[in-house]
Amino acid sequence: MEEAITLSALALGVLALLPAAKRRFELSRAKHRSLAGHSRMAKRLARWVPGYAYDDAQFFAADGAPADVAAQRKAALQRLGAEFDTRFQKTLAATEQAREAISDLKFTGRYRVPFQFSPVLREHLRVGAFLQHSDGVQVQDLDGNRLMDLTGSYGVNVLGYDAYKACIDEAVATARELGPVLGAYHPCVLEVLSRLKAISGQDEVSFHMSGTEAVMQAVRLARYHTKKKRLVRFAGAYHGWWEDVQPGPGNPLPPRETFTLQDMAERSLKVLATRRDIACVLVNPLQALHPNVNAPGDSSLIDGSRRAAYDREAYTNWLRRLREVCTARGIVLIFDEVFVGFRLAPGGAQQYFGVKADLVTYGKTLGGGLPVGVVCGGRALMQRYREDRPADICFARGTFNAHPYVVAAMAAFLKRIERPDVRALYDGLDERWNARCAQFNARLKAAGAPVRLANLSTIWTVMYDQPGRYHWMLQFYLRKHGLALSWVGTGRLIFSLNYGDTEFAEVMDRFVAACDEMRADGWWWTAPELTGQAIRRSVFREMLAHKF
């Protein structure tokens, strides 16, 4: 009898555990199979990767190139380095001086290319980090070199630098009498509120100093009101550098309350539809260009396997289904439009995709050239206190929030995007930039360059149609030919909307010329046996050899 009772109790215990095990299994299946979807595994692997570097001989023949090709590459790098030292002399001198005290410069300089190549490259080739002037679609360094700007100022530059200069000038004139008085609001905040409410379709606004801060507050509000703690983000998406939204390598803390799920996947929708502990879902619409893949920096470009593609209809359908599930389950849907906001459409991604979020975060370009972060949401979600529980609050403040000059620059920007000449930049935006991308790819194909491009409007990703160990070298040839890139190198090209056909044609000419020179210098030499898989195996063997 006792044995039967024991067995029955055991069976009941097993049955009680089955739903939890089922939910855990479904969650595991919803995570992307790559490291982008498994932050714990990615952190373990990051700790496992040994630090090592190629010597001078290995650097030029890491792909097994014959001696004559390796010698050709070495001569080319020395020639390129000497040219940079001459053409960018003042800019490089200022950069070296600043590097001693600016930790960001040390970091970006070290991780501009795959780490194995970095020491030798930095010895032969230096890159400047200073500019002194901008106008039109060009920037100018300290030596007077003018470069076509493809940095987009990390997403800030949507309308062209001249527009932001005008916004800042207008802001200074507007806020000068009040000056940097903090705590109180400048009257122009009323105009900003009116325009942001109309654009976002939301009731209330809170001001912050960066996009990262805005996302932090949006997540905090979602947790406060739902009384749940779990946050869902999608594999590869970037939402700032704070712990809960950046749970992989680069974050000292392990992931705690964050689920990183697969983008555009039925399994992810099932997790959202069945779990009861999810407070919010974060969406960065930029991931429509490369779902479940991390930002395309050249520091991880070891084999040329980078891929990107954009399907507007498919991503729109995904957002609509996501909206339906979140509504049904009481999950707060947050659109992180810090990067793409006002680039895809005057009303942002909500207007572009026709899907309304519960909370929306903006930043970058919204500040009219000055630092800003904004959260827009419905009145119930934006409330930070409870009438019936006076000590239960959701605190968030910042000394420089709603700074008079920043608010005035926002007002200037929001007025500017209503102007007919600026609205005209958005007319036929997708068609124009899709056609330009197709034209660019045709030029590259005709030139025999192993380079292809994919775009989400004016945001472009560079890919390669042959395996190789040296694709990251292209960023330096592009700089030589007068194209300014961000520190991620050739991974991301960001055009401002004011690029005309003439300026765009010049970018194509310079880009193709850079590809021609890179190929002539031997960096795209390849052998039949040099497959992407073979490269990855070779690098893995190197790591094992240095690890043990």
Side-chain angles (χ1 to χ4, degrees), residues 193-194 196-205 323 333 350 356-360 362 375-379 381-382:
L193 292 172
S194 176
L196 281 176
K197 286 167 62 180
I199 287 169
S200 67
Q202 305 290 353
D203 303 319
E204 295 187 8
V205 177
R323 173 70 279 177
L333 178 59
Q350 288 189 110
K356 186 177 180 181
D358 298 308
L359 294 171
V360 188
Y362 301 108
V375 181
C376 298
R379 186 159 286 109
L381 277 175
M382 294 295 284

Side-chain angles (χ1 to χ4, degrees), residues 215-287:
V215 174
M216 290 172 69
Q217 173 62 358
V219 171
R220 176 176 280 199
L221 286 169
R223 286 170 165 166
Y224 176 67
H225 287 290
T226 63
K227 298 183 175 64
K228 301 170 185 176
K229 61 183 180 179
R230 298 292 190 185
L231 177 159
V232 166
R233 63 187 285 273
F234 294 106
Y238 181 75
H239 298 284
W241 51 267
W242 61 287
E243 275 81 2
D244 284 8
V245 296
Q246 199 254 329
N251 181 357
L253 295 179
R256 294 170 297 184
E257 315 299 346
T258 302
F259 294 150
T260 299
L261 303 186
Q262 184 176 355
D263 213 352
M264 302 180 71
E266 291 290 333
R267 291 170 176 172
S268 297
L269 294 177
K270 187 172 183 180
V271 167
L272 295 174
T274 54
R275 294 190 69 99
R276 299 179 179 179
D277 56 351
I278 296 174
C280 59
V281 173
L282 270 172
V283 172
N284 184 340
L286 176 61
Q287 289 304 112

